[in-house]
Each structure stands twice: as structure tokens, then as C-alpha cells.
């Protein structure tokens, strides 16, 4: 007879993604193959989020050890859930899986439990391992606790049809009140009002709260020499420049202007309006050279290859102010040397309290929800955080468009005050870039 309670066999990458996975299966049994413990041990000394998560998991398992024999099973919660470390594995050579590969030994634990009559689910963030598990006839799934539906993610704005006279009133008073419940508006969601009588006539606003929509003004004007080119860019610039919005997320494919708009608004607020002490820019150090130690020179010199896109945008903005390329590059260097602009790897942000700074985190699609939470929780008094990224261009092998930190933040915080997001849809970099983004 099949055990009605499920046995969830966890892969190492699930625990490295989120230590909270241990406590996410309610009344069911969590099974940790011994090879997972070995892999956690190898990761525990690594810098960054992976090492921190490995150490946290080991601490949690050590704490659970006090409740009983881990190989027999110890209680996880009040709902009847247990955790057990499994020491047995099978040799599945006849199934094409060699026993000298840890991943194969981990899968074999799930396969053996299923063969013994248990209802087993193998949980892994490794797509290839999920395929192998499925081929063996073992039910398999991704870790879904921190996933959102990217296809149904709000674009950050909506269209509402009203009377033409109401649009006149909106432009005159610079605000209007709508039925918040009828429209189901979120805080700082954009609203494009369209005239019933003259459909080509529109007005763009931002919903603040309780149905009050304020007219977009700053987003319509050039900022630091850069003119927004479409509706989404206008709305994004408005959110970036508003003092009452403390967290802005910009999602969009290559060339939609995410990073450029974030930098433009930051320079405006830092240099022209003196709202912040520093413009701090950071991005994940992903693929090909994660370890900065492999690069020669100081931290700044090590970072330069990774921050090149930021330098490109800074120079482009400063050239729009009438400077030639040499002058623009010189001005960028001056801003860096004076400390007005700082660039840091995300590793150095952990543990900091960041006050009175305009913080841009670029390429956020390569961060886990826990990593983004860690960054946002660094915000001190007077700090504004900008998250940018493209969830369809992910380099992290264990993330996708639905499980990355950028998508997660947009979905979880869409109904909360102080934050807003915009999905930028039109590529404005060049006609060639637009074609590449759409067809390649």
C-alpha cells in the first residue's frame, strides 16, 4: 500500500537557493540524501550567497540533530512533517546512471524510495536532473515556493476610458479621483486616461492611493538632457524622480532604456537637486569569471570589465550635455574619483546600512529572491533603490523568468506602498537592436 504522505527528496541546489526549503513541505517527509550534506560542506566556505546559504542549512540541520536521530527522522513542525537524512543509494548502471556522479546517487535515493512503495517527489532546480528523474519514472518538480507567474505579471500601467471633460479637469487640477476598487489599482501604478469622445486624446497619471491619480509631469520632460521616447519610459522616469517612491523596478528586454533611465534620474537627483549623497551602482558578477581574484589590479580595476555597460551609459548621458567623448570620459572619472558615483560588487553590500544614497542594482534577473531581499533590507534613511533587468536573459543556471528576484519583487510588492514597477516594451536603442531583440 502506498504511503499517503509524500516524501520530498531535495537536491543540493534547492537548499543553496533557499535554506527555508527545509520548512516548506508542511505535513510531508523531507528526505536529504547524504551526498547533499557532502555538497553543502563543499559550498560552506565559498564567498557570497551560496556560501551563506550552505552555512545556514548546516546550522539548521545541526539544530534539528538535537531533536533525535537524523537517519531515523526528526520532527520539523507541528503539522507532522519530518526530516530524515538518507544514507543509502543505488547503482543504476542498468538505467544509464553511473554511481561515481553525486547527482546520480541523489536521484537513486528518490528512485529507491519509490520502489519501496512510497509516494516520492524529487525536487531540484537543475532542469537536466529533473529530466533524468522523470525518465526514471519519479515524479519531479522545481522548488515553487518563490516562483511567480511572469506571463501574468502586471505591466505597471493600465488604460482607463473617461469623459473628455474629465481629462480637461485632470490637466487643470493635476489630479483626479477614480473608483479604486472598480479599477483595482495598485500604489504607483500608471494610468493612461483615454477620452471617450476623442480616443486619440490621452493623459498619463500615477495612482497614489485611495483612487487618487496624479498627473505625470516630470516624466514628460527631458531629464539630464535625455528625452523619454514612449509611454513606459515616461512613466518609469516619473517613478524614478518621485520622492515618495523608494523602490522602483524596471523590467524590459535589451535596449528598452532600463539602465539609462535609472542613471539619468540618479544624476539629476544627485548633481542638480542634491537629494542624495552618492549614486551607488552594482550588478551581479555572473558567468565566465565569478571570482574577482582571477583579475589583476585593485577592486576598481577588477570591476571595470563587469561595469563597462554602466560606463557606456554614463558617457552617453554626459555627451548629451554637449561634451565630446574625451570630455565625457574625463567627467565620468572625476565623478568616480570624487565619490559622487561609486561602483561596488554585490558581495560588498551584504551587511551594510546604506543611507541617503541612490542605489542602482543592474541585471537583477540573475539574483535569487533571497539575494534581492538582502539588498533591499540594506536601505537606510533617505535611500532609493532601483532594480533593473530582463527576466528572459538569465545567466544563473538555477533561475528562470518566474523564480528570479526581479520578477519575485515586482509580484510580491505590487500592492504595497513606497514601491512601483514598469515593464518597458519598446526597444529604443536603435532599429537594428529592436530587430535583434524581437527576432533573434
Amino acid at each position: 500500500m502506498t504511503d499517503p504522505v509524500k516524501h520530498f527528496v531535495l537536491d543540493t541546489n534547492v537548499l543553496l537557493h533557499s535554506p527555508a526549503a527545509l520548512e516548506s513541505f508542511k505535513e510531508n517527509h523531507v528526505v536529504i540524501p547524504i551526498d547533499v550534506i557532502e555538497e553543502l560542506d563543499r559550498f560552506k566556505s565559498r564567498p557570497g550567497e551560496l556560501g551563506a546559504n550552505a552555512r545556514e542549512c548546516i546550522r539548521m540541520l545541526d539544530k534539528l540533530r538535537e531533536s533525535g536521530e537524523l537517519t531515523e527522522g526528526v520532527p520539523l513542525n507541528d503539522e507532522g512533517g519530518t526530516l530524515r537524512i538518507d544514507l543509502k543509494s543505488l547503482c543504476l548502471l542498468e538505467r544509464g546512471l553511473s554511481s561515481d556522479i553525486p547527482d546520480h546517487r541523489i536521484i537513486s535515493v528518490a528512485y529507491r524510495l519509490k520502489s519501496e512503495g512510497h509516494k516520492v517527489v524529487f525536487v531540484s532546480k537543475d532542469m537536466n536532473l529533473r529530466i533524468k528523474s522523470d525518465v526514471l519514472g519519479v515524479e519531479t518538480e522545481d522548488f515553487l515556493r518563490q516562483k511567480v507567474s511572469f506571463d501574468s505579471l502586471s505591466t505597471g500601467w493600465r488604460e482607463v476610458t473617461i469623459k473628455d471633460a474629465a481629462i480637461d479637469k485632470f490637466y487643470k487640477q493635476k489630479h483626479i479621483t477614480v473608483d479604486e476598487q472598480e479599477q483595482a489599482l495598485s500604489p504607483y501604478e500608471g494610468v493612461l486616461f483615454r477620452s471617450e469622445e476623442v480616443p486619440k486624446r490621452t493623459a498619463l497619471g500615477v495612482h497614489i492611493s485611495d483612487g487618487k491619480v496624479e498627473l505625470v509631469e516630470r516624466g514628460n520632460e527631458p531629464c539630464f538632457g535625455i528625452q523619454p521616447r514612449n509611454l513606459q519610459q515616461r512613466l518609469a522616469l516619473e517613478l524614478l524622480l518621485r520622492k515618495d517612491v523608494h523602490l522602483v523596478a524596471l523590467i524590459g528586454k535589451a535596449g528598452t532604456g532600463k539602465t539609462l533611465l535609472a542613471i539619468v534620474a540618479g544624476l539629476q537627483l544627485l548633481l542638480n537637486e542634491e537629494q542624495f549623497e552618492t549614486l551607488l551602482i552594482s550588478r551581479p558578477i555572473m558567468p565566465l569569471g565569478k571570482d574577482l581574484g582571477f583579475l589583476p589590479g585593485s577592486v576598481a580595476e577588477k570591476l571595470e570589465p563587469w561595469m563597462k555597460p554602466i560606463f557606456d551609459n554614463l558617457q552617453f548621458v554626459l555627451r548629451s550635455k554637449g561634451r565630446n567623448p574625451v570630455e565625457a570620459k574625463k567627467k565620468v572619472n572625476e565623478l568616480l574619483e570624487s565619490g559622487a558615483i561609486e561602483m561596488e560588487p554585490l558581495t560588498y553590500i551584504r551587511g551594510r546600512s546604506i543611507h541617503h544614497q541612490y542605489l542602482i542594482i543592474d541585471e537583477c534577473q540573475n539574483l535569487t529572491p533571497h539575494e534581492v531581499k538582502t539588498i533591499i533590507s540594506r536601505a537606510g534613511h533617505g535611500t532609493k533603490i532601483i532594480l533593473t533587468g530582463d527576466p528572459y536573459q538569465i545567466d544563473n543556471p538555477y533561475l528562470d523568468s518566474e523564480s528570479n528576484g526581479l520578477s519575485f519583487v515586482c509580484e510580491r510588492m505590487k500592492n504595497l506602498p513606497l514601491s512601483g514597477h514598469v515593464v518597458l516594451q519598446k526597444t529604443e536603442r536603435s532599429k537594428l537592436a529592436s530587430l535583434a531583440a524581437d527576432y533573434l
Side-chain angles (χ1 to χ4, degrees):
M1 182 177 178
T2 303
D3 188 347
V5 179
K6 292 183 179 180
H7 289 65
F8 286 91
V9 179
L10 305 190
D11 192 9
T12 312
N13 50 58
V14 174
L15 300 178
L16 293 176
H17 175 77
S18 174
L22 287 174
E23 303 171 338
S24 299
F25 298 96
K26 298 183 178 179
E27 72 279 3
N28 299 292
H29 302 312
V30 174
V31 180
I32 308 294
I34 189 64
D35 283 282
V36 169
I37 305 299
E38 287 296 319
E39 291 187 334
L40 288 175
D41 188 61
R42 287 197 294 270
F43 274 95
K44 69 181 182 183
S45 60
R46 289 197 182 186
E49 201 67 24
L50 287 178
N53 287 348
R55 293 189 293 273
E56 177 63 20
C57 284
I58 292 170
R59 282 193 291 267
M60 293 174 70
L61 291 171
D62 188 50
K63 183 69 176 177
L64 288 169
R65 184 176 57 82
E66 300 174 3
S67 302
E69 184 63 45
L70 289 177
T71 56
E72 299 296 326
V74 295
L76 267 179
N77 49 50
D78 296 331
E79 301 176 67
T82 66
L83 177 139
R84 180 172 64 84
I85 293 179
D86 195 297
L87 299 175
K88 301 176 184 178
S89 60
L90 292 177
C91 180
L92 298 175
L93 285 175
E94 73 280 5
R95 300 281 179 174
L97 302 179
S98 59
S99 60
D100 59 340
I101 298 177
D103 283 350
H104 292 175
R105 297 196 295 269
I106 290 171
I107 292 178
S108 77
V109 171
Y111 181 82
R112 175 178 53 78
L113 290 173
K114 182 177 184 298
S115 301
E116 293 173 355
H118 300 294
K119 189 169 184 180
V120 177
V121 181
F122 177 62
V123 186
S124 175
K125 299 199 70 64
D126 187 328
M127 290 183 285
N128 194 49
L129 213 54
R130 293 203 298 267
I131 293 171
K132 291 180 180 180
S133 175
D134 188 73
V135 169
L136 289 172
V138 178
E139 182 181 349
T140 183
E141 62 183 40
D142 192 359
F143 180 57
L144 302 175
R145 179 178 176 182
Q146 292 180 312
K147 296 195 75 167
V148 299
S149 175
F150 181 70
D151 290 335
S152 61
L153 186 69
S154 166
T155 60
W157 69 281
R158 69 184 63 199
E159 186 174 311
V160 175
T161 302
I162 59 176
K163 296 291 185 181
D164 195 63
I167 289 185
D168 285 332
K169 182 179 179 181
F170 186 37
Y171 275 117
K172 182 178 181 180
Q173 297 183 349
K174 305 197 183 300
H175 64 83
I176 193 173
T177 301
V178 298
D179 190 325
E180 181 185 15
Q181 293 184 340
E182 179 182 341
Q183 300 299 335
L185 295 173
S186 299
Y188 298 106
E189 182 176 6
V191 182
L192 179 67
F193 291 112
R194 189 175 297 276
S195 168
E196 289 183 2
E197 296 85 352
V198 188
K200 289 186 178 181
R201 190 174 187 222
T202 61
L204 182 61
V206 176
H207 174 243
I208 308 304
S209 63
D210 302 322
K212 182 181 180 182
V213 179
E214 294 184 357
L215 182 68
V216 166
E217 294 186 281
R218 301 200 66 182
N220 289 330
E221 302 296 330
C223 180
F224 220 79
I226 301 296
Q227 175 71 53
R229 295 185 177 182
N230 56 53
L231 181 149
Q232 290 86 15
Q233 287 192 354
R234 291 160 54 201
L235 179 59
L237 194 55
E238 180 77 13
L239 295 181
L240 290 168
L241 294 172
R242 290 187 69 104
K243 292 183 179 180
D244 50 348
V245 184
H246 296 251
L247 174 68
V248 180
L250 302 181
I251 296 177
K253 57 188 177 183
T256 51
K258 310 177 295 294
T259 307
L260 179 63
L261 289 172
I263 290 175
V264 162
L267 291 173
Q268 172 68 25
L269 296 175
L270 174 73
L271 302 179
N272 292 351
E273 301 182 21
E274 298 181 350
Q275 288 189 27
F276 301 98
E277 296 175 356
T278 308
L279 172 56
L280 179 59
I281 306 173
S282 189
R283 65 202 314 257
I285 305 300
M286 290 303 297
L288 301 183
K290 292 183 181 181
D291 190 345
L292 291 176
F294 288 110
L295 298 174
S298 64
V299 172
E301 291 170 331
K302 293 174 190 288
L303 274 177
E304 187 172 352
W306 302 102
M307 293 298 183
K308 188 63 176 173
I310 305 298
F311 284 105
D312 291 343
N313 278 291
L314 283 169
Q315 291 179 32
F316 176 80
V317 172
L318 294 171
R319 284 183 64 182
S320 69
K321 300 289 286 183
R323 296 180 176 87
N324 62 42
V326 175
E327 291 174 335
K329 187 174 182 178
K330 182 179 179 181
K331 182 62 177 177
V332 171
N333 291 331
E334 288 177 359
L335 292 171
L336 290 168
E337 291 172 2
S338 68
I341 297 178
E342 294 181 6
M343 298 187 188
E344 287 189 1
L346 284 177
T347 305
Y348 294 168
I349 288 181
R350 171 181 284 274
R352 291 185 58 184
S353 292
I354 302 173
H355 299 281
H356 306 293
Q357 296 191 29
Y358 184 97
L359 172 59
I360 300 174
I361 307 296
D362 200 23
E363 302 290 343
C364 272
Q365 77 276 8
N366 286 317
L367 299 176
T368 67
H370 182 69
E371 287 172 326
V372 173
K373 176 184 176 181
T374 300
I375 293 167
I376 296 175
S377 65
R378 299 300 95 207
H381 296 291
T383 286
K384 182 164 187 163
I385 297 180
I386 316 301
L387 309 177
T388 71
D390 178 4
Y392 285 119
Q393 290 190 353
I394 295 178
D395 300 310
N396 189 318
Y398 300 126
L399 298 178
D400 57 30
S401 62
E402 298 185 331
S403 63
N404 70 88
L406 182 61
S407 299
F408 185 76
V409 165
C410 291
E411 176 62 28
R412 294 296 295 270
M413 299 193 70
K414 66 181 181 181
N415 293 319
L416 301 177
L418 305 181
S419 69
H421 77 269
V422 181
V423 177
L424 302 166
Q425 298 168 328
K426 186 177 180 182
T427 299
E428 298 287 359
R429 181 173 291 159
S430 68
K431 290 183 179 180
L432 178 59
S434 180
L435 290 173
D438 290 335
Y439 293 101
L440 300 182

